[in-house]
Amino acid sequence: DVQLVESGGGSVQPGGSLRLSCAAGRYTYKRNCMGWFRQRPGKDREGLAVLWIGGATTTYADSVKGRFTISKDSGNNTLHLQMDNLKPEDSAIYYCAARPYCVVPIGLSSQKYTAWGQGTQVTVS
């Protein structure tokens, strides 16, 4: 099973930055999709940035494009989300997610992902 553990959340002032990490453990699927999602109080979980490992392609939500960057460390199965120019509306619980045997990009819909971390809180105020 895919094991995902997020870290790096915290509190920052507007305009500040945070770097989230997601340890994927022994996630060994040859083709998979991984991404970052967030959930604000009273709202549905939304996709922010996803990476198709098989083709090394990325997709970003319009709301974070140019501010957030998804990346993966080579060889250690750690996913990152660099968040710059944070805004109060970015405050949410941030989740790492994955879908094994992802042979094509599946986009930003949370319904497409089957493995989830427990989340890390980000507060911008």
Side-chain angles (χ1 to χ4, degrees):
D1 292 340
V2 177
Q3 303 292 320
L4 304 174
V5 180
E6 303 97 337
S7 63
S11 298
V12 297
Q13 298 181 31
S17 298
L18 284 173
R19 183 174 173 85
L20 306 182
S21 297
C22 172
R26 293 178 295 175
Y27 187 36
T28 59
Y29 293 106
K30 185 177 180 180
R31 296 289 183 267
N32 59 84
C33 294
M34 298 187 69
W36 289 97
F37 298 75
R38 70 185 178 192
Q39 189 162 20
R40 291 171 283 192
K43 299 184 181 296
D44 292 335
R45 194 166 298 184
E46 59 181 323
L48 304 175
V50 298
L51 170 66
W52 181 50
I53 306 299
T57 60
T58 58
T59 302
Y60 293 93
D62 289 342
S63 61
V64 304
K65 190 175 298 182
R67 298 191 298 124
F68 291 10
T69 304
I70 189 172
S71 63
K72 183 179 182 296
D73 287 349
S74 298
N76 66 358
N77 285 334
T78 300
L79 191 73
H80 300 282
L81 184 68
Q82 177 67 41
M83 305 187 295
D84 298 319
N85 192 23
L86 285 162
K87 305 174 181 180
E89 54 263 42
D90 293 321
S91 297
I93 299 175
Y94 283 69
Y95 298 90
C96 176
R99 177 171 180 147
Y101 298 115
C102 183
V103 298
V104 297
I106 57 174
L108 294 164
S109 174
S110 63
Q111 295 177 317
K112 298 292 187 178
Y113 295 80
T114 56
W116 295 87
Q118 294 300 302
T120 184
Q121 178 71 50
V122 171
T123 302
V124 185
S125 63

